[in-house]
Amino acid sequence: MPRPARPDRNAPKGRPRPKVDHRTRQPAREYELDVLAGLEDVAATELSGVPLARDVRGLRFWFPGSPERLTRLRSVVAVYRIQTWDVPRPRGLLGNQQLSELTAYLREVIEVGGHQSFRFGAAGKDSPVMQRLAEELQGTLNLPHDPEAGELLIRLRPSGDGQGWEVLARITPRPISARPWRVCNMAGGLNATIAYAAHKLAGQRDADRIFNPMSGSGTLLIERDLMGPSAALVGVDINPEAVRCAQENIRAAKRQIEVAHRDALHTDLPARSFDLIMADLPWGDAISSHGANETLYPAFLTEMHRLTSQRGRLCVITHEIRLFERVLQNQQKWHAHELFQVASGGHHPKAYLLSKR
């Protein structure tokens, strides 16, 4: 009997099996992004780049992958996982079945985030019902209830269709906006999510030579360096304590960025040295005063015009909106348009992008 022929390794094979992302086989969980008011579009754009995020409704979506991927979002304050219970009021969560389901849900969040305590962020958190729920969870989760500083922040709210209650649990012990590299704080320090949004909307280009006058604790510098390469990245501040603080944060972020003790209006740098200047100007609140800014702002625009390349950009963040817009109206060197206005820490600063006329 003849032996069967060996298969020809060079012969065309059947249709290859399509590659399947193993994460699509995992159960999807529902999440919601918490962002500063005014940065919703920036966060939505960043979310659109997250593979496998689906059924996106604004800042709410389903995601089957590891929650760790969501902690890398730079424009958000926090990420919450959501689960809904068909109960008419929070008291219904104290039922045996509901409490067991709630405990299992929160344990999954804790397993990922490693939270060491919990608290409620809901309206009426001091009510008898919420106090009893805290007591029950303290026992079932074996986690202390810390009403002021609990790491697992739990929020309750009526569901959108009014048919139940949603429980939102923050997936990280600290807000994502509280960057781990921020080991030194200064009065008037810029929120990192605002810095990220400003860089994104000002345009991220690898070939940019970037200058950060009045660099403070280094937020704008560090956030840009974490976003990707640039041709140069330099900061200056007239306050030696600010320079020291920025250098501490830069070391904590494991970056190499030049920060010098120098007056931003008298750097002695050559004209057209930079393609992008990013500035968080003093607002006359924690730093400087309104009277001083009357002099500072016009002088600043003049010097930055000298330092900016012919097709360069100047991005300005300030809460001194009336003053800044009045200064813009009284000069002929810059075109300007508003990028965003954001609510942060009781202030509502605006970001503007300027180009040379």
Side-chain angles (χ1 to χ4, degrees):
M1 184 173 179
R3 298 174 62 183
R6 292 182 179 180
D8 183 357
R9 294 182 179 179
N10 297 318
K13 299 179 180 179
R15 180 179 299 175
R17 296 178 62 184
K19 293 182 178 180
V20 178
D21 192 322
H22 70 91
R23 293 171 295 180
T24 62
R25 298 195 293 266
Q26 299 175 5
R29 310 297 188 187
E30 191 172 16
Y31 298 90
E32 183 172 290
L33 305 183
D34 180 23
V35 306
L36 294 178
L39 299 186
E40 294 88 351
D41 289 345
V42 178
T45 299
E46 190 180 13
L47 175 61
S48 68
V50 176
L52 305 181
R54 59 180 176 80
D55 298 332
V56 179
R57 292 145 292 149
L59 300 177
R60 187 163 172 161
F61 60 100
W62 289 80
F63 181 67
S66 168
E68 187 278 332
R69 173 61 182 84
L70 304 178
T71 67
R72 289 183 249 154
L73 295 171
R74 312 296 296 175
S75 59
V76 309
V77 174
V79 179
Y80 288 85
R81 187 174 149 191
I82 306 173
Q83 193 154 318
T84 305
W85 275 266
D86 185 16
V87 294
R89 56 186 63 87
R91 182 187 297 274
L93 295 172
L94 290 166
N96 289 336
Q97 179 179 341
Q98 290 81 359
L99 184 60
S100 176
E101 293 171 348
L102 177 60
T103 300
Y105 155 67
L106 294 176
R107 278 177 178 160
E108 289 184 5
V109 177
I110 294 167
E111 183 178 354
V112 173
H115 309 73
Q116 298 297 311
S117 56
F118 76 93
R119 62 187 165 104
F120 289 109
K125 62 181 179 180
D126 297 324
S127 68
V129 169
M130 297 301 289
Q131 290 179 1
R132 184 182 165 197
L133 186 57
E135 292 172 1
E136 293 288 349
L137 288 176
Q138 190 165 233
T140 57
L141 294 174
N142 193 27
L143 210 63
H145 174 226
D146 184 341
E148 301 301 324
E151 292 183 346
L152 176 59
L153 179 56
I154 304 169
R155 296 163 48 197
L156 280 73
R157 70 186 182 195
S159 60
D161 59 9
Q163 300 301 310
W165 279 78
E166 297 176 343
V167 178
L168 295 82
R170 191 174 69 193
I171 67 173
T172 52
R174 300 176 66 215
I176 295 173
S177 58
R179 303 295 202 239
W181 52 257
R182 192 182 290 281
V183 296
C184 178
N185 287 299
M186 292 196 69
L190 185 65
N191 183 293
T193 64
I194 299 177
Y196 172 89
H199 275 296
K200 275 296 181 184
L201 296 179
Q204 180 183 348
R205 304 172 187 171
D206 293 356
D208 275 342
R209 299 165 296 166
I210 304 170
F211 180 47
N212 179 204
M214 309 172 196
S215 54
S217 59
T219 305
L220 280 164
L221 293 167
I222 295 170
E223 285 298 307
R224 176 58 183 85
D225 207 39
L226 290 170
M227 290 166 64
S230 59
L233 189 57
V234 179
V236 301
D237 202 288
I238 198 170
N239 181 357
E241 285 302 308
V243 174
R244 179 194 58 77
C245 184
Q247 290 171 341
E248 286 187 22
N249 287 332
I250 289 168
R251 285 193 293 270
K254 296 180 173 58
R255 317 308 293 182
Q256 293 184 346
I257 305 170
E258 181 182 352
V259 183
H261 174 214
R262 195 168 297 181
D263 185 345
L265 302 185
H266 301 92
T267 61
D268 295 327
L269 291 167
R272 301 184 180 182
S273 291
F274 301 102
D275 306 300
L276 173 62
I277 296 179
M278 301 291 298
D280 175 25
L281 293 181
W283 304 347
D285 182 8
I287 301 174
S288 189
S289 66
H290 178 75
N293 288 343
E294 290 274 1
T295 302
L296 171 65
Y297 279 33
F300 172 82
L301 288 183
T302 298
E303 177 62 7
M304 295 307 108
H305 190 274
R306 186 185 73 84
L307 290 176
T308 306
S309 61
Q310 188 58 42
R311 296 189 178 182
R313 299 100 68 209
L314 167 62
C315 180
V316 172
I317 304 168
T318 180
H319 188 61
E320 285 264 34
I321 296 169
R322 291 183 180 178
L323 169 59
F324 187 70
E325 292 185 350
R326 173 160 48 84
V327 171
L328 284 176
Q329 291 174 357
N330 293 333
Q331 57 82 42
Q332 301 297 322
K333 294 183 176 182
W334 295 101
H335 289 289
H337 70 270
E338 181 183 328
L339 292 179
F340 59 79
Q341 184 169 21
V342 62
S344 175
H347 295 286
H348 295 82
K350 281 187 178 182
Y352 304 80
L353 188 62
L354 286 66
S355 59
K356 286 185 171 181
R357 289 183 184 272

